[in-house]
Amino acid sequence: MRNGGRLLLHVYECQWDKSHSPCGMHIEGDQASVTDHLARFHGFTGGEGETACLWDGCTSKKRSAMKGTSVARHLVTHIGYKIKCMACNIDYAREDACRRSHANARSECQRMQLAPVHGTGVITLRVQTCEPPTKKRHIADA
């Protein structure tokens, strides 16, 4: 997302297994970023078997028995990241839900325009592009 020509990055503190093995990292709030983070930094790859949500403070009734493939989608609800259709001003839990709604012939809004809705714990960073420093050539003393 851009603000005054500058790129903005919206991240959230990772709360996965915070009491036992915190990673101390920040992640973007969309499902793909959460999935990637869990796999790369926590060794969690999901799967069809049942697993527990290890997000700090999770009080979901399904906390201890959810499909591994559902965990990243569940974590996005903890983060609070949503998608808003700017044309019809409706928030959706996920982009696929927004697309399904707009593909429906009964939908009043046929001009889907997506924008992220960030959760309350968001940290907004201004991203700057940097050129790597040029190497200075040192002349050896004679």
Side-chain angles (χ1 to χ4, degrees), residues 54-130:
L54 300 179
W55 196 263
D56 191 49
C58 179
T59 58
S60 172
K61 292 178 183 176
K62 295 181 180 180
R63 175 188 166 97
S64 61
M66 67 175 67
K67 278 188 174 182
T69 54
S70 301
V71 170
R73 184 174 61 224
H74 171 74
L75 295 185
V76 171
T77 65
H78 288 308
I79 291 169
Y81 182 88
K82 295 182 179 182
I83 296 293
K84 178 186 278 292
C85 173
M86 300 304 289
C88 60
N89 203 33
I90 296 175
D91 288 354
Y92 295 89
R94 298 187 319 269
E95 186 175 332
D96 61 312
C98 181
R99 292 190 186 285
R100 270 194 314 274
S101 174
H102 286 78
N104 183 346
R106 294 175 293 163
S107 177
E108 294 175 17
C109 175
Q110 299 296 321
R111 304 175 318 272
M112 184 175 68
Q113 299 171 4
L114 301 180
V117 176
H118 300 286
T120 56
V122 69
I123 299 168
T124 303
L125 306 171
R126 287 189 193 99
V127 179
Q128 295 179 327
T129 56
C130 299

